[in-house]
């Protein structure tokens, strides 16, 4: 089996992945899985740190999942940097990197997928039809292959967290979900693999997303509880920026992501916008992260 100097196992093989976790489980040790699509940044690496707190063996999967990209989306041009990713993940102490090929995960067109029947109608699910079916299907497959005790996801993709939590509960996956806070650049921009697409001007315009959320958070902390007023505050920031086309900006219930009229601690402020040709999302939890 291929191993790096630090004894990280790097494998593309589903069988080898299963064997590795089976031997660890046989010793009574705990396993954590951090699913990613690679082009790793500090946000991903913090998920590894979080995973380490919960498990003896930390597995990171890197798989750009074609099933979760719609026609005309950025599957083909999604950033890929396997060598750089391995250096970063190994440097952060990962135990196993699982890099399956598309043909191994989908040897034929799937006959069975995991399709949400709720929680997907709005926001990302509305703009990206079929996206969460692709996400849940690949997450279910990865959970079956790695069989972790804990799966670590980022709050950055909050609707994904909501749907994964629903899948784990509704389909009785024996997996604990751990959600890690969003990691930001020093100026507030949420880290994202897609930030690599931003030129200098777009990078600066993209700050409108986090600024809009921070403006909402500040207004909440000053006592504003009316969602429509908070939304206006955020939209004013977005419309003041050049080249930023909002898809949505909303105040939503953290459990259902349904819009709320009055906000309270725990309400999610979330935004999606196109900055030039790059689509970015971000959120903050009022009174929290
Ligand atoms: P991705 O590779 O974009 O599919 O993301 C893989 C995991 O990393 C998901 O659980 C994301 O929510 C999480 N993630 C992405 N960006 C960040 C960030 N800036 N902070 C924390 N987690 C993140």
């Amino acid at each position: 089996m291929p191993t790096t100097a630090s004894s990280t196992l790097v494998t593309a093989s589903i069988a080898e992945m299963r064997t590795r976790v089976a031997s660890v489980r046989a010793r009574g040790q705990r396993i954590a899985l951090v699913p990613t699509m690679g082009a790793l940044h500090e946000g991903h690496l913090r998920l590894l740190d979080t995973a380490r707190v919960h498990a003896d063996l930390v597995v990171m999967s890197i798989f750009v999942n074609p099933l979760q990209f719609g026609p005309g989306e950025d599957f083909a041009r999604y950033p890929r940097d396997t060598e750089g990713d391995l250096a970063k993940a190994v440097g952060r102490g990962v135990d196993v990197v699982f890099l399956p090929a598309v043909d191994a995960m989908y040897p034929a067109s799937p006959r069975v997928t995991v399709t949400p029947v709720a929680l997907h109608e709005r926001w990302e699910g509305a703009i990206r039809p079929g996206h969460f079916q692709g996400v849940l299907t690949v997450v279910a497959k990865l959970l079956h292959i790695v069989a972790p005790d804990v799966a670590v996801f980022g709050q950055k993709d909050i609707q994904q967290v909501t749907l994964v939590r629903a899948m784990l509960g509704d389909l009785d996956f024996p997996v604990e979900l751990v959600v890690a806070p969003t990691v930001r650049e020093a100026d507030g921009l949420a880290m994202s693999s897609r930030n690599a697409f931003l030129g200098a001007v777009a990078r600066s315009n993209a700050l409108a997303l986090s600024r809009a959320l921070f403006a909402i958070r500040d207004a909440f902390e000053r006592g504003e509880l009316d969602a429509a007023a908070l939304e206006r505050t955020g939209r004013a920031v977005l419309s003041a920026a050049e080249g930023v086309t909002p898809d949505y900006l909303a105040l939503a219930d953290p459990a259902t992501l349904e819009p709320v009229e009055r906000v309270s601690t725990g309400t999610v402020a979330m935004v999606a916008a196109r900055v030039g040709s790059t689509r970015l999302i971000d959120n903050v939890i009022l009174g929290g992260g």
Side-chain angles (χ1 to χ4, degrees):
M1 58 176 69
T3 52
T4 65
S6 66
S7 85
T8 302
L9 169 64
V10 178
T11 182
S13 156
I14 293 173
E16 188 170 33
M17 185 67 244
R18 286 191 196 279
T19 307
R20 179 78 177 93
V21 286
S23 65
V24 169
R25 172 153 300 99
R27 291 201 294 275
Q29 294 187 319
R30 282 168 63 81
I31 298 158
L33 172 65
V34 178
T36 79
M37 298 202 301
L40 299 181
H41 51 66
E42 181 63 22
H44 296 118
L45 300 177
R46 295 272 185 91
L47 300 186
L48 291 180
D49 300 343
T50 302
R52 178 61 67 198
V53 174
H54 293 269
D56 306 291
L57 186 88
V58 174
V59 180
M60 173 177 265
S61 59
I62 299 179
F63 180 62
V64 185
N65 173 35
L67 221 58
Q68 72 189 67
F69 290 79
E73 289 188 2
D74 56 356
F75 174 70
R77 71 172 195 133
Y78 194 83
R80 291 163 171 88
D81 175 19
T82 304
E83 256 183 51
D85 287 349
L86 289 177
K88 288 176 195 164
V90 169
R92 205 59 163 245
V94 74
D95 297 305
V96 182
V97 182
F98 179 48
L99 304 148
V102 171
D103 289 355
M105 291 293 273
Y106 304 114
S109 178
R111 294 156 300 184
V112 176
T113 59
V114 181
T115 306
V117 294
L119 303 172
H120 68 298
E121 302 95 334
R122 295 181 191 274
W123 324 126
E124 292 307 289
I127 289 160
R128 307 184 66 187
H131 171 66
F132 287 115
Q133 180 181 20
V135 168
L136 294 180
T137 301
V138 81
V139 170
K141 286 170 67 72
L142 292 167
L143 293 174
H144 286 137
I145 294 165
V146 177
D149 301 279
V150 176
V152 185
F153 286 84
Q155 183 204 310
K156 159 102 177 3
D157 297 274
I158 195 153
Q159 194 175 11
Q160 171 169 282
V161 165
T162 306
L163 278 152
V164 168
R165 180 176 287 120
M167 179 180 78
L168 298 183
D170 288 6
L171 300 185
D172 300 294
F173 279 76
V175 179
E176 180 192 341
L177 175 65
V178 171
V179 181
T182 301
V183 179
R184 299 179 178 282
E185 303 286 357
D187 59 7
L189 181 69
M191 290 190 183
S192 164
S193 302
R194 289 189 171 95
N195 291 352
F197 294 140
L198 301 170
V201 172
R203 168 70 180 71
S204 153
N205 295 337
L207 280 177
L209 279 82
S210 53
R211 285 194 181 137
L213 296 176
F214 297 161
I216 289 172
R217 188 177 61 193
D218 292 348
F220 167 73
E221 281 166 10
R222 286 194 305 269
E224 180 61 78
L225 300 180
D226 179 54
L230 291 170
E231 196 182 316
R232 280 194 298 277
T233 298
R235 285 196 185 272
V237 177
L238 291 179
S239 47
E242 293 285 315
V244 175
T245 314
D247 280 339
Y248 58 79
L249 178 125
L251 283 301
D253 178 275
T256 62
L257 297 186
E258 287 295 308
V260 295
E261 288 181 8
R262 301 281 290 171
V263 306
S264 56
T265 295
T267 299
V268 182
M270 56 189 179
V271 64
R274 277 160 291 133
V275 181
S277 56
T278 304
R279 200 169 169 278
L280 300 174
I281 62 173
D282 196 359
N283 69 82
V284 297
I285 296 176
L286 299 184

